[in-house]
Amino acid sequence: MSLVCLTDFQILAQQKLAKTTWDFIEGGADEEITRDDNITAFKRICLRPRYLRGVSEVDTRTTVQGEEISAPIGIAPTCFHCMTWPDGEMSTARAAQAANICYITSTYASCTLEDIVASAPRGLRWFQLYVQSDWELNKQIVQRAESLGFKALVITVDVPIVGKRRNDIRNELDLKRNLMLKSLQSSEEKNFKPDKQPSFINASFCWNHLSWFQSITQLPIILKGILTKEDAELAVKHKVQGIIVSNHGGRQLDEVPASINALMEVVTAVKGKIEVYMDGGVRTGNDVLKALALGAKCIFLGRPILWGLACKGEHGVEEVLDILKTELHTSMTLVGCRSVGEINWDLIQLSRL
Ligand SMILES: Cc1cc2nc3c(=O)[nH]c(=O)nc-3n(C[C@H](O)[C@H](O)[C@H](O)COP(=O)(O)O)c2cc1C
């Protein structure tokens, strides 16, 4: 079967993966209303194309936190890539480097940070942190990521506890085996140390802790999982450098707004003071275009990267990124945008929102 769009990868990935793994990747919380709405909300937005603009050359390049990337498309943090492909995050990192885009590595990566960096030394990477109860552990891992060349710290805020995913319970999925936080092990330390077992997520984490993170790292801090103007304003007040509008792919609190619908509220609240990104439900070039028109600087892909990995490892991820980049190029050409800078609100028909 030829794979021409991201959904083709989804269909093939389901055939390749064990049911338990598939359910873990695809699952949303509770009734999966938000997971599905992330996709359908994009389809309720209409585009307003402009013609006769001379679009023989279209450039998808942009920047995130001052670093140039080939397109406003990145890889969202997802855990345990070895569940879908033996080389796991090392394959993901190589594909991201080849595509010249940003890869956010998860706290719960199944390869060590050292191995991930060594496999693609020139790639642009950010490190995602689930704040742990052990503050010394937080400090160690953040400083280790910084010294390994990760360019930003992405702190996930929407997981004080893990949402209820029904199929994982039915399947009796045991993630404890995977929860060995390989990212906390250095490459010399191949034998897992039980004392490094994560205390898992710190539910007491709050706004006041951000200054502590700012005191232990020079990295720009980006908050992932913001959905409201109130929190967006607090993020600006606490001097973070970016926000990822996200509902965790509908895996945490169900029945929150689709990410694309929350984006406008957040973009309006930050008034251009910091960069705003989004993830959740992006599957086509038109989706990317719509997110950028509504103020996102870049979008990030969660599940589609895992589909790519499951189908063909590194080459599957490369193909997924390439398909989306090409679709974005086509969408930009057809709406009359020669550069990412020309994408703006005028491209969107607001009455359909
Ligand atoms: C299997 C899976 C694992 C995930 N693991 C993490 C993680 O470790 N850290 C995190 O911040 N978000 C995690 N997420 C959420 C993603 O970063 C992202 O918000 C979401 O997948 C985007 O939606 P999409 O899958 O529709 O693209 C995970 C999502 C999935 C599907």
Side-chain angles (χ1 to χ4, degrees), residues 24-25 76-79 106 128 130 156 224 246 248-249 251 279-281 283 301-304 306:
F24 172 67
I25 290 171
T78 51
C79 52
S106 166
Q128 176 265 327
Y130 280 128
T156 298
K224 173 175 182 283
S246 169
H248 219 101
R251 292 163 75 81
D279 72 27
R283 302 291 180 263
L301 297 171
R303 295 179 182 87
L306 300 173

Side-chain angles (χ1 to χ4, degrees), residues 107-148:
T107 303
Y108 297 145
S110 41
C111 302
T112 68
L113 295 184
E114 283 78 4
D115 286 345
I116 295 168
V117 172
S119 66
R122 288 171 289 101
L124 171 62
R125 274 174 294 269
W126 296 351
F127 177 72
Q128 176 265 327
L129 182 72
Y130 280 128
V131 175
Q132 306 289 306
S133 301
D134 178 343
W135 288 98
E136 189 52 35
L137 194 59
N138 288 319
K139 187 173 170 185
Q140 276 172 23
I141 190 166
V142 168
Q143 294 186 342
R144 191 161 135 226
E146 186 169 2
S147 69
L148 282 166

Side-chain angles (χ1 to χ4, degrees), residues 39-51:
I39 308 234
T40 49
F42 271 110
K43 309 307 160 199
R44 291 193 290 266
I45 300 171
C46 269
L47 291 167
R48 301 179 65 247
R50 298 296 309 281
Y51 296 118

